[in-house]
Amino acid sequence: MPIVKTLKKSLYFGTQHHCPICQSNVRLFKPMHTTQIRLNAICPVCSSLERHRMMWLFFKQKTDLFAAHSKKMLHIAPEECLVDKFAQCESIDYLTADLNNSAMVKMDLTDIQYPDNSFDVIYCSHVLEHIPDDAQAMHELSRVLKPEGWAVIQVPILREQTYEDLSITDPQQREQLFGQSDHVRVYGLDYKERLEKAGFCVSVMPYLQEFTSEERKRFGFDIEKDDIYFCTLH
């Protein structure tokens, strides 16, 4: 894999854009084809998306994740571009978990098989919109977080109020209503309150606003808004 990344760095080399995860200078980020095409989305070297690059910078600049003191981290539905970065940090006791895909442990977020107060850090991104009982999943995440720990729990926020209808099971209808065939809801700005009902204290951080227009273009942050939901227990 290092050889492949080196070749990709040479193939896509340029000065227009920079990926802070794989430290590549590239002439373009590839488009992302979903229900709508997003230009400048995918790093051609490590395949990171905009939100992955944003979160990597946030973790480095705004948290103690990489500080010297030891911490146990739970990374749910781990993004391939970030796994090695977390795993290689000696101060992080790192655990990846997923229900269906490859990870260190298989985990159902509505029934986490770990004791209370197990983790110093939890990172869960774009997972809850797939889970019918998201309230139970949020409760379980708050249960296994240590009292002095913190969690970043991200979902796509696409409207004012969350809309869900669990009776809708047709993939095409789900894609039309929720944006993706395996989504069961579309979250709104009331997402913060949903997390708080599960026991979290939530800070909604407009981190992207800290970047200049030139920086946003360089890192491929063409997304209009993607606030970070930083959760603690007090």
Side-chain angles (χ1 to χ4, degrees):
M1 286 302 292
I3 295 176
V4 173
K5 285 188 176 182
T6 299
L7 290 174
K8 287 182 177 179
K9 284 189 177 187
S10 298
L11 180 63
Y12 290 97
F13 178 77
T15 58
Q16 291 92 330
H17 303 288
H18 177 74
C19 175
I21 298 177
C22 64
Q23 293 295 307
S24 297
N25 294 312
V26 295
R27 66 178 183 275
L28 58 83
F29 288 125
K30 293 182 176 181
M32 178 71 174
H33 296 272
T34 55
T35 51
Q36 294 181 332
I37 297 176
R38 299 201 316 270
L39 302 176
N40 300 317
I42 306 172
C43 172
V45 179
C46 71
S47 299
S48 66
L49 295 173
E50 310 99 319
R51 65 177 183 267
H52 304 144
R53 297 189 290 274
M54 178 188 73
M55 288 310 313
W56 174 251
L57 290 172
F58 177 81
F59 287 137
K60 289 186 67 177
Q61 297 176 358
K62 299 296 184 179
T63 77
D64 64 351
L65 180 59
F66 298 104
H69 61 280
S70 178
K71 58 194 71 67
K72 189 171 182 64
M73 178 182 183
L74 174 62
H75 185 181
I76 299 158
E79 301 92 340
E80 186 177 348
C81 61
L82 293 173
V83 167
D84 287 345
K85 293 289 187 178
F86 295 142
Q88 291 168 4
C89 182
E90 293 182 357
S91 62
I92 299 176
D93 181 5
Y94 184 56
L95 180 71
T96 63
D98 203 306
L99 180 60
N100 300 314
N101 299 318
S102 176
M104 296 165 69
V105 298
K106 184 176 181 178
M107 180 179 289
D108 177 355
L109 283 194
T110 64
D111 185 22
I112 298 177
Q113 298 299 302
Y114 282 83
D116 296 358
N117 311 325
S118 289
F119 301 98
D120 299 285
V121 175
I122 297 174
Y123 176 42
C124 176
S125 179
H126 287 229
V127 174
L128 293 177
E129 64 271 20
H130 299 266
I131 299 176
D133 193 353
D134 66 332
Q136 176 63 19
M138 293 175 189
H139 174 76
E140 281 289 275
L141 291 172
S142 69
R143 180 184 65 78
V144 298
L145 185 65
K146 291 183 180 180
E148 302 301 320
W150 54 268
V152 171
I153 307 175
Q154 299 291 103
V155 297
I157 306 291
L158 300 175
R159 51 187 292 143
E160 288 292 322
Q161 290 291 123
T162 297
Y163 170 65
E164 61 185 341
D165 184 343
L166 298 182
S167 69
I168 298 172
T169 58
D170 177 69
Q172 289 186 337
Q173 193 174 5
R174 281 181 169 178
E175 183 169 350
Q176 181 181 6
L177 294 173
F178 307 135
Q180 197 165 304
S181 61
D182 57 350
H183 287 186
V184 297
R185 71 182 56 81
V186 56
Y187 283 102
L189 296 175
D190 58 327
Y191 175 60
K192 177 178 183 287
E193 286 70 37
R194 294 169 78 99
L195 287 168
E196 290 172 341
K197 287 181 180 179
F200 288 112
C201 295
V202 184
S203 296
V204 182
M205 309 176 74
Y207 179 58
L208 281 179
Q209 294 182 13
E210 298 185 17
F211 294 87
T212 65
S213 58
E214 290 79 11
E215 289 171 331
R216 288 173 67 112
K217 182 178 179 181
R218 180 164 169 74
F219 293 131
F221 295 157
D222 286 349
I223 44 180
E224 181 178 346
K225 186 177 181 181
D226 193 3
D227 292 340
I228 291 174
Y229 287 78
F230 188 83
C231 306
T232 61
L233 297 179
H234 57 84

